[in-house]
Amino acid sequence: MRGDKYGSHRVIFPTGLLPQAAEKINNDPVICTNEILIDVIALQPTATAFGRIKRECGGDKTKIAAAILEIVEERGKFQDPVSKSGGILIGRVKEIGADLKESAGVKVGDKIATLVSLSLTPLKIYEITDIDVDTEQVYCKADAVLFETGIYTKLPEDLGDKLSLALMDVAGAPAQVAIHAKAGDTVVVMGAGKAGLLCLAEARKRVSPTGKVVCLEYSAEQCEVVRGLGIADVVLQVNGQKPLETYEAYTRALNGKLSDFTVSTVSVSDTELSTILVTDDNGMIYFFSMSTDFVKASLGAEGVEKHVPMLIGNGYYPGHAEIAFDIVRREEKLRRYFTERYCR
């Protein structure tokens, strides 16, 4: 049987929707002729989704595992019921539907990372074998299904599974920096987690030699990490949930020069106005974070008389995986940091 290329044939409830918006989908590992079956190695939930579950479970791995299993059992996919976000996975190609054998670009046994959200990916977990609470990676025995339009990439042999998994979850963010930042620009990155660090490194490459890269980060420890990596010209420890304080600290440090391109990668709520205030009306904002409330962003911008264009955090852009891989290949200090952080 051939399924709908977008996966609508897998939707159980409510009918008429596509898999991401559906509350429950069919996760039967028997595939259609235009689907790919994956033997899952590990899941990388979004920082927003995993962080919420971790807080609710008090950091207890057994409780986190039970919460993830409950979500997948109920929905047929991993989709945080609060943020609606998912994440990505890595695994080996287990079976390729007959209609895709010529065009898939992979063969059975190849190791791949999915580049579509777990929030729309049929997933059947048989056992969670381990959870790394620090890196937010979930190791499991499971099957997953990719639709005909599901995008994926082969894992690069030179980077390894754990590092590749960590990078792929946030690869869409530095790709947008590569597209929009140009020489001479002032680029601001809100948040210095893995997405933020990749964005800072890519921005440094794009705005040189006359532009400026600014990091706004809440954690003093992460501010020191950014300084040590040498990927920002200005590092400010600020609380993005306090927009006026953030704006004042920023304008003092930059002598009133507002950002030409701002990326928000934070995984907490209520930072939208800080992002908006530090950005020039002739610039642009990319809200990558799944914690973003787009009502607060749009109506908040009206309230402070800002008409800066704002992009929704679509995690996909053609070639975004290679952009992320190339950043860590060329940035030795950043690669070392990520390796120590995610490849223990």
Side-chain angles (χ1 to χ4, degrees):
M1 183 187 91
R2 183 179 178 85
D4 172 61
K5 67 177 182 177
Y6 299 119
S8 66
H9 60 286
R10 291 266 180 179
V11 172
I12 295 175
F13 177 81
T15 58
L17 299 181
L18 290 178
Q20 202 283 332
E23 293 181 25
K24 187 173 180 63
I25 63 175
N26 179 357
N27 61 357
D28 189 335
V30 176
I31 62 170
C32 296
T33 58
N34 60 335
E35 294 178 329
I36 294 175
L37 183 64
I38 303 169
D39 182 10
V40 179
I41 296 170
L43 312 176
Q44 179 79 68
T46 64
T48 301
F50 191 91
R52 188 198 67 79
I53 294 170
K54 183 170 76 170
R55 287 190 299 274
E56 192 174 273
C57 297
D60 183 276
K61 287 206 289 189
T62 302
K63 292 180 179 178
I64 294 171
I68 291 172
L69 287 170
E70 183 179 354
I71 290 170
V72 173
E73 179 65 26
E74 181 179 315
R75 292 175 173 261
K77 56 182 178 174
F78 176 74
Q79 181 180 40
D80 177 46
V82 177
S83 69
K84 306 301 182 185
S85 63
I88 63 159
L89 63 81
I90 60 170
R92 293 186 184 277
V93 176
K94 192 172 184 178
E95 185 181 347
I96 302 172
D99 294 345
L100 299 182
K101 286 186 184 295
E102 296 297 321
S103 60
V106 290
K107 62 183 185 299
V108 171
D110 282 350
K111 208 177 279 187
I112 64 171
T114 59
L115 300 176
V116 289
S117 176
L118 290 174
S119 67
L120 59 83
T121 303
L123 177 66
K124 193 174 188 67
I125 299 179
Y126 307 108
E127 181 186 1
I128 291 179
T129 56
D130 191 24
I131 296 177
D132 190 321
V133 176
D134 292 329
T135 64
E136 303 177 342
Q137 294 177 347
V138 180
Y139 295 87
C140 58
K141 295 177 181 177
D143 285 323
V145 177
L146 277 178
F147 309 128
E148 184 178 343
T149 53
I151 50 177
Y152 50 87
T153 185
K154 286 185 182 179
L155 293 185
E157 294 181 5
D158 62 318
L159 297 182
D161 292 358
K162 289 187 176 183
L163 181 54
S164 298
L165 179 58
L167 295 176
M168 288 300 88
D169 180 41
V170 295
Q176 293 296 328
V177 176
I179 298 161
H180 294 290
K182 59 187 184 299
D185 278 354
T186 296
V187 174
V188 172
V189 178
M190 296 272 298
K194 59 183 176 180
L197 294 176
L198 289 169
C199 287
L200 288 166
E202 186 64 19
R204 192 68 182 269
K205 172 188 173 182
R206 299 290 170 174
V207 306
S208 294
T210 55
K212 267 198 170 67
V213 178
V214 182
C215 174
L216 303 181
E217 166 61 36
Y218 177 76
S219 162
E221 181 181 355
Q222 281 304 108
C223 285
E224 286 307 310
V225 167
V226 175
R227 293 186 183 103
L229 293 173
I231 51 177
D233 300 294
V234 179
V235 181
L236 298 176
Q237 184 186 357
V238 295
N239 183 349
Q241 293 177 317
K242 297 182 177 180
L244 290 179
E245 289 182 14
T246 298
Y247 174 70
E248 288 165 5
Y250 173 87
T251 51
R252 281 197 304 270
L254 275 293
N255 295 317
K257 173 68 171 75
L258 296 180
S259 172
D260 298 297
F261 185 67
T262 303
V263 184
S264 174
T265 69
V266 295
S267 57
V268 296
S269 60
D270 298 321
T271 62
E272 294 84 0
L273 260 295
S274 289
T275 309
I276 290 165
L277 286 173
V278 303
T279 310
D280 191 272
D281 275 346
N282 293 315
M284 182 177 288
I285 296 171
Y286 177 57
F287 283 111
F288 180 72
S289 170
M290 291 296 102
S291 296
T292 303
D293 184 321
F294 294 100
V295 173
K296 289 180 181 178
S298 61
L299 300 185
E302 289 179 11
V304 294
E305 202 178 8
K306 300 279 286 189
H307 59 80
V308 56
M310 296 179 279
L311 300 176
I312 294 174
N314 180 350
Y316 171 66
Y317 188 82
H320 69 311
E322 279 307 313
I323 291 172
F325 293 150
D326 286 345
I327 292 171
V328 295
R329 287 179 180 129
R330 74 169 185 262
E331 299 283 345
E332 291 184 14
K333 286 185 178 180
L334 185 58
R335 179 170 181 167
R336 195 178 315 123
Y337 170 81
F338 279 143
T339 300
E340 292 172 356
R341 177 82 172 80
Y342 293 100
C343 304
R344 297 169 299 173

